[in-house]
């Protein structure tokens, strides 16, 4: 089973999402999703998440809290949360088409406009479910 770690990063009541590249053959092309990625051999989910955030947006997060695990027949997702302590302008998007702070209303609607794409793009179904669960828990 594929092991991945995902980050719920929040700031000012909004949540950081990545608009995935719209390239055929990748998982969830052209949809909004959470930042994160696959575990390397011998890597813990927490270390994976910290590495992926540095690689994908140049963000160093010191402390993350485990929110939940989401498993299906193909993927086991470890989901962590932490505040986003820098402005969006201080992040460098190294992977993906766009990034943005999505509102709870965007997440409930399942879509959000992307300036770079010039159109409304869907939120990936597993990522929307994770965020709806997270918002229902009122942890922040």
């Amino acid at each position: 089973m594929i092991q991945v770690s995902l980050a719920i990063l929040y700031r000012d009541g909004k949540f950081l999402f990545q608009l995935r590249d719209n390239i055929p053959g990748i998982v969830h092309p052209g949809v909004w999703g959470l930042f994160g990625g696959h575990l390397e051999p011998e890597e813990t989910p927490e270390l994976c998440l910290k590495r992926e955030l540095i690689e994908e947006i140049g963000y160093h997060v010191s402390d993350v809290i485990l929110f939940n695990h989401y498993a299906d027949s193909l993927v086991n997702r470890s989901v962590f949360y932490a505040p986003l302590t820098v402005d969006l302008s201080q992040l460098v998007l190294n992977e993906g088409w766009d990034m943005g702070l999505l509102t709870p209303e965007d997440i409930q609607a399942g879509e959000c406009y992307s300036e770079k794409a010039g159109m409304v793009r869907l939120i990936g179904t597993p990522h929307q479910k994770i965020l709806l669960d997270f918002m229902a828990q009122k942890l922040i």
Side-chain angles (χ1 to χ4, degrees), residues 98-124:
D98 198 359
M99 68 177 159
L101 289 167
L102 277 60
T103 66
E105 293 78 17
D106 295 329
I107 294 160
Q108 289 174 349
E111 61 185 25
C112 185
Y113 181 78
S114 163
E115 192 76 33
K116 288 186 181 173
M119 65 181 79
V120 171
R121 304 300 297 193
L122 295 175
I123 297 173

Side-chain angles (χ1 to χ4, degrees), residues 4-30:
V4 300
S5 289
L6 299 173
I8 297 172
L9 297 175
Y10 56 90
R11 181 181 176 86
D12 301 326
K14 299 177 185 176
F15 301 92
L16 184 65
F17 273 75
Q18 170 198 50
L19 182 57
R20 295 183 52 79
D21 288 312
N22 198 17
I23 301 169
I26 68 167
V27 178
H28 305 295

Side-chain angles (χ1 to χ4, degrees), residues 3-9 16-18 20 27-28 32-39 44-50 52-53 56 61 64-71 75-82 124-131 134:
Q3 302 283 331
V4 300
S5 289
L6 299 173
I8 297 172
L9 297 175
L16 184 65
F17 273 75
Q18 170 198 50
R20 295 183 52 79
V27 178
H28 305 295
W32 291 102
L34 298 170
F35 283 96
H38 295 82
L39 272 71
T44 67
E46 186 175 330
L47 287 176
C48 168
L49 183 70
K50 291 178 178 183
E52 288 284 347
L53 290 174
E56 293 180 352
V61 63
V64 294
I65 300 168
L66 179 64
F67 169 59
N68 210 341
H69 294 280
Y70 290 81
V75 182
N76 183 22
R77 298 170 182 89
S78 297
V79 182
F80 297 86
Y81 67 101
T125 303
H127 299 257
Q128 182 189 26
K129 178 184 180 357
I130 290 166
L131 256 294
F134 183 79

